[in-house]
Amino acid sequence: MTRKNMKEAVKQKLESPGWQKILRISNQQLAITLGAVLNAFAYVLFQMPYNLAAGGVAGLGIIVNTLTGFSPGLFYFTANIPLFILGFFTLGKWRFLFTSTLAVVVFSGATEFFIIHMPTVFTRFPITENKLLATIYCGLLIGIGSGIIYRFGGTIGGTSIITRIIYNKTGFPMSQSGLYVDVIIIAAAGLVFNWETSLLAFLALLIAGMSADFALEGASQMRTLIIITQNPEPLRYAIINELKRGVTMWQVNGGYSGEERTLLYLTVLRSRVYDVKFIINRIDPDAFMVVGVSQQTWGGYTLKKKVQAIASDHDADL
């Protein structure tokens, strides 16, 4: 197959009907909107009343609001305009705007809406006097909202634009540059408010990062197993027939001994790791196994019918 034919074949496989494209884009935009609304809800309910300036343009907006009275939602939108102009010329032009503008506009508008209407909805506002409780829920909700936005290909704008530009120009890790920017804003909050509030803001930032990872990747239920053995056939047969899982095998050589071994690679549910250990202990106690975390698995080799077909072939061979 020529390069041109290959490109055409791949393009044809990736093409989908127009209604499917519209549905996919609509679902993406709806998810980004919900994530931005959730962020704004947590921002007004838990972050603003306690001055938890947990980094980013949103945190800077709390400081500016305290010093000048400028509305945080309007400040967030205004501050992102020059960042969008900068990102337009350095991060992909229209594609960058398409994935970032919606979240910023929705967050800014929802923030202004909640600032006006939230005190009238709740009989008591703020809803708690416990700053630590507000910090925890602030981090959880903002992290989940941000994770949803990232999961569907959007960005929340703000300092993430700066960190992406730094990464593209210098290769400096985005996580580190983002942390440095956030720490500067949190330190400024400590000077404006007090250091206890600054410490709580940093805690909210950490919780938001962890909950964003959870929303982005989900709970890890799968484990990746690497088994190195000199007795591969019984192990392979037991895994396929007892666990109903597929397994991939390679011939490998020991780096120290130079002896030939067989490497078995498979993924199982977290609850089935013990069963694999039991099989190894009974069949090949000298085997070496490494257990790793897998966020997601995808593909046909985990389908029951295929595993049953493989098991049938092994039964016929034996």
Side-chain angles (χ1 to χ4, degrees), residues 217-230:
E217 299 178 340
S220 174
Q221 297 294 331
M222 302 300 295
R223 295 294 181 265
T224 299
L225 306 183
I226 297 175
I227 305 168
I228 299 176
T229 177
Q230 287 183 308

Side-chain angles (χ1 to χ4, degrees), residues 38-39 138-152 156 204-219 295:
L38 181 59
N39 269 14
C138 166
L140 285 174
L141 294 180
I142 287 181
I144 292 173
S146 300
I148 293 173
I149 293 171
Y150 298 146
R151 185 170 185 170
F152 286 88
I156 199 64
L205 178 66
L206 296 179
I207 296 174
M210 290 186 289
S211 57
D213 288 340
F214 178 83
L216 184 62
E217 299 178 340
Q295 292 295 345

